[in-house]
């Protein structure tokens, strides 16, 4: 689907959505909380395209995302990313699979000895690699065709997520027990890679939002002490490095999964004036926005979540009720609030459920703090 | 008596600073002792805070080697000091007055009537706040985006 196949974005909508989106970042008053359900391959369904088509054609993917943003009335930003970034740049093999994002079939690091020899690519080499070729194709399309929906991001995940694109997750978990120093070394290199990658994006577009946080390092897989050593500490060092390299100013802390036992730790992660903190679950339950804004409202934009399982498989009313209770609890958070989902908008979620989140924001998300 | 390096002279010209202002920051810091010292002894950082600008000079025994400024006004550590006790990391600077290592922390940053946080280093004892030279670009880009949005 080339650019001419897409109807133009309504400029009135763009202006009002832009104003809603500015509020959490710049405290400029608007009517209500905006919804950001992390729209990615769900947008392919809106255009009746497959997931492989979406990820195989990054330029068309972002056009579909931008169109879906207008259709659903959500954050007007053309995102593009998937989980298995940065393996192919170092010699891993990335393969396409039906109905799923590209995934690594082989990874560059095979043994603990390989970690020592592993060389992090400097920006001048990384920028021409396969990951940025795809990523920049998507971002350039938004920049050129949807300039008002452009926000430059770099997809990283936390250090463990970068590292598991280089080494199998099984090896990393084994080394945490048998050779934890090797994991420390690996995560330092992942942090160096984060600085290098963010520098490429910032160099190209003048600013960057780093998508980082803690996905694997969650309470379902690691205890608090392990999360601190293998998640929080090296991620904090990496954020500081990225900011010091001038490759910010955006910091998006995606605390995916269960963070009941470690969420408070992240209060002291290095933050810029544009920091968004998203927390998925509190044990098995969705992380309550009241608890979230209590802990982070004095320092960061809180992205409150609706459970993606509910969005995917619940009823429209269940989604609407959860979105309502989250937005009522979070909307007046002092440093801003966005209503979203606990992770990427499920690819095959019923459109009515995605729309139910927006409906709740429209019905109950009016600010009273301004 | 320190002088100003040629590179900094160019930097000053580009940023509209006066040489005398920079020397004044250094002289005031030397007189009062209010400054940061790099732990390796290589440089000191002195600052001057006004309502809408915080200016810094980085200098050694002989000359001023860097100067920078931000408009955001840095305030207290986010959540107060106690709440931050768990994880602040040591910076590579020492507060000259207190002899304590300054810590990496988030502090409140006010700008054009709004308040968020930003990365700074804070003395453990006197709580004096500095922004490191490498962090100033983060604040500058944030100021420029906010300046446009809040205009
Ligand atoms: Zn002190």
């Amino acid at each position: 689907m080339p650019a001419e196949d897409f109807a133009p974005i309504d400029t009135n909508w763009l202006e009002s959505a832009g104003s809603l989106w500015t509020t959490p970042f710049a405290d400029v008053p608007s009517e209500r909380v905006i919804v950001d359900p992390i729209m990615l391959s769900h947008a392919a369904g809106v255009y009746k395209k497959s997931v492989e088509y979406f990820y195989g054609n990054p330029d068309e993917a972002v056009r579909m995302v931008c169109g879906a943003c207008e259709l659903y009335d959500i954050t007007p930003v053309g995102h593009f990313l998937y989980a298995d970034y940065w393996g192919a740049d170092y010699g891993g093999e990335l393969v396409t699979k039906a109905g799923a994002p590209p995934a690594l079939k082989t990874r560059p690091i095979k043994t603990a000895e390989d970690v020592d020899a592993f060389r992090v690519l400097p920006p001048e080499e990384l920028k021409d690699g396969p990951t940025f070729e795809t990523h920049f194709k998507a971002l350039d399309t938004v920049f050129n065709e949807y300039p008002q929906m452009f926000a430059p991001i770099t997809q990283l995940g936390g250090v463990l997520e970068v590292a598991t694109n280089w080494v199998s997750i099984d090896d990393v978990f084994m080394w945490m027990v048998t050779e934890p120093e090797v994991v420390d070394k690996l995560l330092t290199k992942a942090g160096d890679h984060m600085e290098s990658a963010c520098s490429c994006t910032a160099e190209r577009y003048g600013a960057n939002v780093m998508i980082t946080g803690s996905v694997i390092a969650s309470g379902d897989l690691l205890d608090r002490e392990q999360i601190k050593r293998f998640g929080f500490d090296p991620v904090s060092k990496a954020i500081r490095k990225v900011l010091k390299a001038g490759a910010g100013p955006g910091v998006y802390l995606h605390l995916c999964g269960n963070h009941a036992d470690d969420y408070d730790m992240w209060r002291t992660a290095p933050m810029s004036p544009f920091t968004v903190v998203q927390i998925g679950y509190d044990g098995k339950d969705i992380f309550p926005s009241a608890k979230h804004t209590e802990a982070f409202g004095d320092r960061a934009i809180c992205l409150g979540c609706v459970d993606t399982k509910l969005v995917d498989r619940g009823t429209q009313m269940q989604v609407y009720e959860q979105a309502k209770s989250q937005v009522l609890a979070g909307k007046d958070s002092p440093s801003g609030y966005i209503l979203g989902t606990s992770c990427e908008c499920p690819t095959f979620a019923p459109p009515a459920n995605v729309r139910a989140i927006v409906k709740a924001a429209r019905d109950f998300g009016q600010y009273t703090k301004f | 008596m320190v002088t100003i390096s040629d590179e900094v002279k160019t930097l000053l010209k580009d940023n509209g600073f006066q040489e005398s202002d920079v020397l004044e920051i250094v002289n005031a810091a030397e007189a009062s002792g209010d400054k940061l010292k790099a732990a390796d002894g290589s440089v000191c950082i002195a600052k001057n805070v006004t309502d809408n600008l915080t200016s810094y000079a980085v200098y050694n025994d002989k000359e001023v080697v860097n100067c920078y400024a931000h408009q955001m006004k840095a305030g207290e550590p986010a959540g107060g000091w106690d709440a931050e006790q768990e994880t602040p990391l040591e910076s590579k600077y020492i507060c000259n007055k207190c002899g304590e290592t300054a810590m990496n922390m988030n502090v409140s940053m006010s700008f054009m009537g709004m308040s968020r946080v930003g990365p700074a280093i804070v003395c453990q004892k006197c709580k004096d706040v500095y922004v490191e030279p490498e962090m100033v670009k983060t604040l500058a880009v944030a100021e420029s985006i906010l300046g446009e949005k809040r205009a």
Side-chain angles (χ1 to χ4, degrees), chain A residues 22 24-28 207 224 228 232 240 243-244 246 249 267-274 298-299 334-336, chain B residues 72 78-79 83-84 86-87 89 104 106 114-119 132 134-135 137-139 141-142 145-146 149-150:
Chain A
T22 299
F25 292 91
D27 270 1
V28 179
R224 184 178 169 98
K228 180 161 167 25
F232 177 81
R240 198 169 282 116
L243 295 178
K244 283 189 166 185
R267 285 164 45 88
T268 52
M271 291 180 186
S272 76
F274 299 129
D298 65 348
R299 62 197 66 199
S335 307
Chain B
M72 293 200 161
E84 299 280 347
E86 192 182 356
T87 44
L89 279 176
N104 284 290
N106 296 316
M114 72 175 283
S115 185
R116 287 293 185 271
V117 301
E132 289 177 89
E134 299 90 342
M135 282 297 185
K137 190 180 171 199
T138 295
L139 299 189
V141 177
I145 295 169
L146 288 173
K149 299 288 181 200
R150 290 183 63 82

Side-chain angles (χ1 to χ4, degrees), chain B residues 50-126:
Chain B
T50 64
D51 271 350
N52 47 19
L53 198 69
T54 304
S55 316
Y56 300 82
V58 185
Y59 59 100
N60 57 32
D61 294 344
K62 296 191 191 66
E63 56 184 11
V64 177
V65 293
N66 191 10
C67 63
Y68 55 99
H70 53 82
Q71 299 173 60
M72 293 200 161
K73 192 153 194 182
E76 299 277 306
W81 185 266
D82 289 342
E84 299 280 347
Q85 281 299 358
E86 192 182 356
T87 44
L89 279 176
E90 293 187 355
S91 76
K92 55 179 187 186
Y93 296 98
I94 295 163
C95 173
N96 179 63
K97 210 170 46 184
C98 309
E100 296 282 344
T101 300
M103 311 300 274
N104 284 290
M105 302 187 81
N106 296 316
V107 305
S108 76
M109 293 274 177
S110 329
F111 184 64
M112 292 178 83
M114 72 175 283
S115 185
R116 287 293 185 271
V117 301
I121 52 176
V122 185
C123 169
Q124 297 180 65
K125 196 170 171 195
C126 69

Side-chain angles (χ1 to χ4, degrees), chain A residues 273-285:
Chain A
F274 299 129
T275 298
V276 176
V277 177
Q278 175 188 24
I279 315 176
Y281 297 89
D282 187 20
K284 286 195 165 41
D285 301 325

Side-chain angles (χ1 to χ4, degrees), chain A residues 256-326:
Chain A
C256 202
N258 166 24
H259 288 273
D261 295 334
D262 67 292
Y263 76 95
D264 57 304
M265 197 187 285
W266 296 88
R267 285 164 45 88
T268 52
M271 291 180 186
S272 76
F274 299 129
T275 298
V276 176
V277 177
Q278 175 188 24
I279 315 176
Y281 297 89
D282 187 20
K284 286 195 165 41
D285 301 325
I286 196 69
F287 204 93
S289 283
K291 187 170 171 179
H292 184 174
T293 55
E294 166 80 29
F296 290 90
D298 65 348
R299 62 197 66 199
I301 298 167
C302 295
L303 196 147
C305 297
V306 176
D307 192 339
T308 41
K309 294 190 293 292
L310 211 56
V311 179
D312 199 32
R313 301 187 285 276
T315 64
Q316 187 184 29
M317 192 59 185
Q318 285 171 320
V319 173
Y320 181 71
E321 286 294 336
Q322 189 172 81
K324 171 187 172 183
S325 99
Q326 293 286 63

Side-chain angles (χ1 to χ4, degrees), chain A residues 23-340:
Chain A
T23 303
F25 292 91
D27 270 1
V28 179
S30 65
E31 184 204 338
R32 63 160 172 94
V33 166
I34 192 153
V35 173
D36 189 343
I38 320 185
M39 181 60 59
L40 289 161
S41 64
H42 181 88
V46 167
Y47 291 86
K48 285 273 187 235
K49 297 290 175 198
S50 69
V51 178
E52 309 86 280
Y53 187 85
F54 181 89
Y55 285 107
N57 299 280
D59 48 348
E60 300 185 29
V62 290
R63 292 182 190 119
M64 293 190 269
V65 169
C66 289
C69 289
E70 184 192 357
L71 187 76
Y72 283 119
D73 187 15
I74 57 177
T75 303
V77 175
H79 298 298
F80 181 83
L81 56 91
Y82 49 88
D84 282 14
Y85 265 43
W86 315 120
D89 302 283
Y90 293 91
E93 191 195 347
L94 194 66
V95 294
T96 49
K97 280 198 233 168
L104 284 161
K105 193 175 162 195
T106 61
R107 289 170 166 76
I109 296 177
K110 314 276 186 227
T111 65
E113 288 70 44
D114 290 348
V115 174
D116 261 328
F118 189 81
R119 185 178 76 95
V120 172
L121 295 175
E124 55 277 18
E125 291 176 46
L126 194 59
K127 75 178 169 53
D128 298 321
T131 302
F132 268 132
E133 191 190 337
T134 304
H135 192 72
F136 286 152
K137 190 173 185 186
L139 287 183
D140 282 352
T141 303
V142 185
F143 185 82
N144 293 322
E145 298 174 21
Y146 303 85
Q148 286 167 283
M149 302 177 79
F150 178 73
I153 61 157
T154 305
Q155 153 66 352
L156 303 158
V159 282
L160 267 173
E161 289 68 49
V162 172
T164 51
N165 288 328
W166 296 341
V167 198
S168 80
I169 190 165
D170 296 345
D171 284 345
V172 175
F173 273 83
M174 184 178 68
W175 296 343
M176 279 180 189
V177 179
T178 58
E179 301 172 87
E181 331 63 55
V182 171
V183 181
D184 292 335
K185 205 178 291 173
L186 179 69
L187 298 180
T188 300
K189 294 195 180 197
D192 292 342
H193 170 86
M194 286 160 80
E195 177 189 353
S196 180
C198 289
S199 297
C200 293
T201 309
E203 173 73 21
R204 193 177 182 94
Y205 303 110
N208 171 55
V209 180
M210 63 184 301
I211 313 284
T212 184
S214 192
V215 180
I216 299 165
S218 77
D220 292 331
L221 296 169
L222 302 176
D223 64 30
R224 184 178 169 98
E225 213 168 295
Q226 288 174 310
I227 293 175
K228 180 161 167 25
R229 175 167 177 175
F230 303 121
F232 177 81
D233 285 346
V235 167
S236 293
K237 279 188 190 145
I239 296 172
R240 198 169 282 116
K241 265 191 192 166
V242 169
L243 295 178
K244 283 189 166 185
V251 180
Y252 187 106
L253 278 175
H254 178 60
L255 306 183
C256 202
N258 166 24
H259 288 273
D261 295 334
D262 67 292
Y263 76 95
D264 57 304
M265 197 187 285
W266 296 88
R267 285 164 45 88
T268 52
M271 291 180 186
S272 76
F274 299 129
T275 298
V276 176
V277 177
Q278 175 188 24
I279 315 176
Y281 297 89
D282 187 20
K284 286 195 165 41
D285 301 325
I286 196 69
F287 204 93
S289 283
K291 187 170 171 179
H292 184 174
T293 55
E294 166 80 29
F296 290 90
D298 65 348
R299 62 197 66 199
I301 298 167
C302 295
L303 196 147
C305 297
V306 176
D307 192 339
T308 41
K309 294 190 293 292
L310 211 56
V311 179
D312 199 32
R313 301 187 285 276
T315 64
Q316 187 184 29
M317 192 59 185
Q318 285 171 320
V319 173
Y320 181 71
E321 286 294 336
Q322 189 172 81
K324 171 187 172 183
S325 99
Q326 293 286 63
V327 78
L328 282 172
K331 64 191 173 76
D332 288 316
S333 187
S335 307
Y337 183 82
I338 297 169
L339 182 62

